[in-house]
Amino acid sequence: MANDRDHPWLRPLWLRVAIVVLCAIWSGIEFYTGEALWGTLAGGMAVYAAWMYVWTYPKPQEQQEQKKE
């Protein structure tokens, strides 16, 4: 069963890192302008994206092995 992490658009590492960086920058801007709630939400998205798309994202070999099963 496929999930959203398996989408071909997310395969390049640079793109997944860019998503994390964009969310972190957004969080910083929100905190800078005094919007703590939105800064916290965007920061949470950055942490979640880092966890899902960088830290635990399956390696290309693991993806091929999972598709064979």
Side-chain angles (χ1 to χ4, degrees), residues 2 7 15 17 20 31 35 37 41-42 45-46 51 55-57 60 62 64-65 68-69:
H7 196 280
L15 189 57
V17 171
V20 173
F31 278 115
E35 297 291 337
L37 173 65
L41 290 174
M45 289 188 326
W51 177 256
W55 189 260
T56 63
Y57 194 81
E62 293 174 6
Q64 291 176 358
E65 291 172 3
K68 291 179 184 177
E69 293 177 357

Side-chain angles (χ1 to χ4, degrees), residues 2-25:
N3 62 28
D4 292 336
R5 283 191 340 175
D6 295 333
H7 196 280
W9 192 77
L10 293 169
R11 284 192 187 131
L13 175 63
W14 71 267
L15 189 57
R16 292 180 277 131
V17 171
I19 292 169
V20 173
V21 169
L22 181 68
C23 290
I25 290 171

